[in-house]
Amino acid sequence: MLQDTIVKVVVIFSGLANLFLAIYVYKKNSKDNINKNFLYFGLAIFLWCLVNFIMLFEKNIFWFRVTYSIGTIVTLTGLYFTLALCNTKINKWLQIFLSLVCSVFFVLIIFTPLLFENLVSFTSTAIAPVSGPLFYIWTAYMVFLIGTTLSVPFIFIKKVDEERKKQILYFLLGEAIFGIWAVLVIIVLPSLGVNQFSNLDTPATIFVVGFTSYAIVKYHLMGIRSVLFKAFIYALVIIILIALLLALMSVGSYLFTHEMIWPICVVAILLSIALFFVGRLFFVEKRDLEKAKINLTEMLEQSENNRMKVETERDKTATIIKSFSDGLIILDEHDEIFLINPEAEKILELKINGLIKKPIQSLSVFSKAIPIVSALKTGLTNILKKELILDKDLTIELSVIPLNLNEKDIGHLIVIHDISREKTVEKMKTEFVSLAAHQLRTPISIMNWSMSMLKNGDFGKLNKKQKEIVESAFKTNEGLIVLVSDLLNTTRIEEGAYLHETTMTDMKKIVDSVLDNYKDAIKKRKIKIEYFEPKNFPQAKIDEKKIKLAVQNLIDNAIKYSPEGGKIVITLKNDNKNIVFKIQDSGIGIPKNQQNKIFAKFFRSDNAKKIDPNGSGLGLFLTENIINAHGGKIWFESKENVGTSFYFTLPI
Amino acid sequence: MANFTGKRILLVEDDILLSKLLSKKLVDNNATIFHAADGEEAVKMIKDNQIFDLVLLDIMLPKMDGFQVLKTIRADEKKKETVVIILSNLGQENDVEKGVSLGAKKFLVKALLSPDEIVEEIDTILK
């Protein structure tokens, strides 16, 4: 029969569902009192369903008694679970008493006929007991348990929070339906002589499972939030619908034959409808609020996760800053110290205690930080690699970088880069070049004097061949003299000792004298010189020797890099503020990609190297330094294979 | 061609070849040349009551450097007026300044001048 099969399926499914639910809940949090009690309750229901399932095949008094004895335990554990859910406990002695009574009934039901003497069979599936003398005591005990289970929540519900209230009400709804159903089919109906439905009590446990599960999903009963679990619930809903169908079928088939049952059915249906609406009244009203609350909880969880992510990122950044090889000081938007990394502490010999949230000036108590504080006195402007001497052995490069976030000023970053080592190496290099140049000067002088006297006939007249050789050796030596002088000048610039002795000097005379020095070379290379000079040329306050060197370097280059027969145009102008010197040649020009390096020390352009492999690459470096030291400017215009024009100005 | 007839010039120079070359040039111009190869010898010769019209003084010298020689001469009442030209291969601003402040009439850099130019400079001073 279809109805029998459905009953069997529902019973075993309900049992297994309860078992699954009980274990799942217990595993989620085995220490929680609620979860523990739910385990006992679920296990009891499972056993009860199992025994009922067996009884569907073995309809004898023994299995009947076993179902009733386990049913007693189900009721008791149901009460204990409800109490736990309401965060309350009953008197310890009462608990012992109730448990003891339950045990006694358990034994009496199974092993004596005091409660159930025998069975009467009505249909092929429905059976009813013949009650014994203690039946009514047991019934009273059961009514007490069920009554307490249903009433306790109403007493304690005010003491629990909103979410727990929802959980309790859903659980109660399930338990109430089950309770009423069970009482109806196994107590009320049999007492009215209707015994056909007594086997439908067990399938009703599905309501307990269903509603409890719903409370778990919807209101995180017993702390459970799981997607997988939701799927399980939907499966349960289907089973519940089947159970309801089953009930309707049973009731329907009976109604056609027993008129007496009508009022009872009406009451049961009305009661169910009432229960449904009472439930809705409790839950629907605040459903939106609950949703919002759950969303809020999820948002809080999300924001907590984000916070942790941000904290991890922050820690990473802090580690990078801390392990940075440069000293870093970070100032906040009020330009107060926000962070000093260990390297900055080390370089400046700071003690960080008490410096945080203080202005940068408070660093001046540490002697090594004083030059930095002075450099920042005029404000935290954009400083890039400013060289500062903090100590005789400690030179740093200071950079100040404004920190902007979304165009908002959030502070400044001060970078302290220790360049002491580079400075020491540079100093050693300079000292070496200086020493070498000085040592070279004596042999160069000897050659200069010897050759000069030889070629001038101080040691007797030389023949043409001898004179020629001595003269070319003399010239080579002169080149060496220039190189050594350039090297010495360069080292002096680097030592910061390239001083300028300025006197009022006639610029025109300097140019004339340099041109005079080069007259032989100009003649030899057939170079045409055009020299434009204004009348009444003003004197300027300049270092004659140095400016002469600068002019000489420019004229020397123009001659050297012009082709034979080329033209050089020299212009001297006075624009009332500055003397402007211009020299334009028709030489090889400076390749475009090398123009930015032309004033660099030792730099020589590729095409210049081809023409004169022996140049030092110091001429323009020195010239630029000389002009800059006078407060003037130097620049050039050049095109490869067309020519170059160099300009410089000197303030009058 | 300068004429240094009757002029007594003390050449203080530790490099033998350099002193030979310059001596020849000066002798060719009729000067009477005396030679000292270190600072101490130079001071001794100046203090030994010899009168020199000019002292050509190197700086980097054995035993006593040129600046020290100048200081010693300036400290000597009788000799402090001695005319001194520094002839050295040092030539940095601070060296020149130091030499001039100690009373040297000129500071000439050997490598940058030929013997003829040096003779011209001496001629200017002695005139």
Side-chain angles (χ1 to χ4, degrees), chain A residues 17 95 135 144 158 172 188 191 196 211 265 392 441 513 543:
Chain A
Q95 194 175 346
F135 176 77
F144 172 76
K158 281 178 188 164
L172 275 182
V188 179
S191 67
Q196 280 87 339
F211 280 90
C265 284
K392 75 176 175 37
R441 267 190 163 173
S513 108
D543 183 321

Side-chain angles (χ1 to χ4, degrees), chain A residues 98-145:
Chain A
L98 289 175
S99 307
L100 210 66
V101 173
C102 179
S103 311
V104 171
F105 276 127
F106 183 84
V107 175
L108 292 179
I109 291 169
I110 297 179
F111 300 106
T112 70
L114 289 169
L115 283 112
F116 302 102
E117 280 179 10
N118 216 331
L119 284 178
V120 183
S121 193
F122 297 95
T123 64
S124 58
T125 51
I127 42 168
V130 177
S131 40
L134 291 180
F135 176 77
Y136 294 103
I137 300 172
W138 173 79
T139 310
Y141 173 73
M142 290 295 276
V143 168
F144 172 76
L145 290 184

Side-chain angles (χ1 to χ4, degrees), chain A residues 442-443 445-446 449-450 453 459, chain B residues 11-25 33 35-38 41 58 60-62 110:
Chain A
T442 301
S445 303
I446 291 169
W449 289 9
S450 316
M453 285 169 76
F459 300 107
Chain B
L11 177 60
V12 190
E13 172 62 65
D14 59 325
D15 189 274
I16 297 162
L17 186 52
L18 276 181
S19 50
K20 265 188 189 166
L21 291 168
L22 195 57
S23 293
K24 167 153 175 58
K25 200 78 202 170
I33 298 298
H35 180 251
D38 65 64
E41 195 187 348
D58 194 4
M60 290 190 282
L61 287 168
K110 291 181 218 170

